[in-house]
Amino acid sequence: MVEKKKVKFGVNVTSSEKVDKERRYSEFKITCLPYPGCEFFKRWRDSSYSAEDLIFDWNQSFVDACLDLPLEMVTPEVGSLDWHNYKTWDLITLTQNYMKLILHYLREGHNGVLIHCISGWDRTPLFVSLLRLSLWADGAIHSSLNATEILYLTIAYDWFLFGHNLPDRLSRGEEIFFFCFYFLRYFSSEEFAIHRVPPSAGTPSSQERRNPVKHVTSVSPCQEAIPVPDRQHHGVPCSSAHLGSLDAEEDLVSPQRLQKLDAVRRTFQNVYSVVVGFQSERSAGGIGGLLNQLAEKVGIKQLGGTRV
């Protein structure tokens, strides 16, 4: 979130690890990553679903959370990003750089990663879903699932079972759910792979190709768990599991990463356009219709089955 405290229904709600006076999180290395709330995604929708050059207004009076990256966690790779200028990044660059940081922690760390936001049903599933899809595309988890099956899993588990209220968000025009899968087109290059192949000399990164001037750098968390990537056993969702560290020495990045994420994105957009529609063109299908369409494709529910 972009605030240290938030008021909901007249009650002060806080992202407690950032403002906890009792130091109950003292054993954690906390990275604070301010990220626009779901309200900002109405601007994205109203901008004809174009996120490039769409920049959040950090000067609003309620914004008091700042990016905070622990110095001991600033490696040369992370430090190469100009975190001091994070307020100048558009929505695509901001999301790309936060995902680079999270993947870096997962790649180089030893104790796993916990991601959470203040409520856990908008920004949390956004980043957890992107992380799950990225690891799947690299062959690190869920290797037996195809594009439609991993899409069903991440929508049903990471989004809906953790409380994302799609009908409410759609009624407000806050399409953060749709943004998650739209963003995959900016997330498919090897620089986001968990096992990366060193880029050849003179080869620009995806960010350099879309913005040759900007660099990127700093951070804060959001609370949900996904299975520990494991070479021997590809786990199922477990609410108590953390994201485990991976051995970056083994397995080079799959050349199919782009194709796999593109297949997920296209499948999602085809179903979303039919069941939900865009902007004011809404059908009554909602969550149940969206999941039913995907369930039929993966063969776990027949047409006309029970409501989700």
Side-chain angles (χ1 to χ4, degrees), residues 8 18 22-23 37 52 76 100 105 121 125 128 133 135 150 153 156 159 176 190 201 209 250 265-266 277 299 304:
K8 289 188 176 182
K18 294 202 290 283
E22 302 299 324
R23 296 182 55 79
E52 295 191 23
K100 284 181 182 178
Y105 286 165
W121 50 54
V128 170
L133 291 171
L135 295 175
I150 190 67
L153 171 62
W159 285 92
I176 187 172
E190 292 183 359
R209 286 193 293 272
E250 303 176 18
R265 181 178 63 85
R266 290 178 182 275

Side-chain angles (χ1 to χ4, degrees), residues 39 88 122:
E39 301 86 357
T88 67
D122 293 308

Side-chain angles (χ1 to χ4, degrees), residues 120-175:
W121 50 54
D122 293 308
R123 284 163 291 188
T124 298
L126 168 64
F127 282 95
V128 170
S129 183
L130 288 174
L131 189 53
R132 187 190 298 278
L133 291 171
S134 181
L135 295 175
W136 166 79
D138 293 336
I141 61 173
H142 307 312
S143 62
S144 65
L145 302 185
N146 62 32
T148 304
E149 291 166 340
I150 190 67
L151 181 59
Y152 183 90
L153 171 62
T154 192
I155 290 176
Y157 184 76
D158 299 325
W159 285 92
F160 295 156
L161 287 183
F162 275 82
H164 182 71
N165 192 338
L166 181 60
D168 177 73
R169 294 294 179 254
L170 291 176
S171 69
R172 300 169 186 269
E174 300 166 353
E175 298 199 42

Side-chain angles (χ1 to χ4, degrees), residues 53-108:
D53 301 321
L54 184 63
I55 301 175
F56 179 73
D57 182 5
W58 299 97
N59 295 318
Q60 298 175 80
S61 60
F62 63 88
V63 178
D64 59 2
C66 296
L67 187 144
D68 185 9
L69 187 62
L71 291 177
E72 65 270 21
M73 302 180 75
V74 179
T75 64
E77 180 181 0
V78 172
S80 66
L81 301 174
D82 186 10
W83 294 107
H84 294 290
N85 288 321
Y86 75 94
K87 294 181 179 180
T88 67
W89 300 339
D90 64 21
L91 186 58
I92 294 297
T93 304
L94 187 71
T95 309
Q96 283 180 326
N97 289 328
Y98 283 2
M99 286 306 304
K100 284 181 182 178
L101 186 68
I102 294 170
L103 285 163
H104 173 75
Y105 286 165
L106 186 59
R107 185 186 304 114
E108 304 297 333

Side-chain angles (χ1 to χ4, degrees), residues 191-261:
E191 65 187 308
F192 299 104
I194 196 67
H195 307 303
R196 294 183 305 174
V197 177
S200 57
T203 301
S205 67
S206 64
Q207 183 156 321
E208 290 170 335
R209 286 193 293 272
R210 67 179 294 273
N211 192 335
V213 178
K214 293 181 182 176
H215 284 274
V216 208
T217 326
S218 196
V219 195
S220 166
C222 287
Q223 182 162 331
E224 180 179 330
I226 74 174
V228 177
D230 188 294
R231 300 215 189 326
Q232 305 297 325
H233 171 71
H234 300 281
V236 296
C238 176
S239 61
S240 63
H242 287 186
L243 289 171
S245 59
L246 294 175
D247 181 1
E249 299 291 327
E250 303 176 18
D251 301 338
L252 296 180
V253 65
S254 168
Q256 297 180 353
R257 176 181 170 88
L258 187 152
Q259 291 91 335
K260 292 172 75 172
L261 291 178

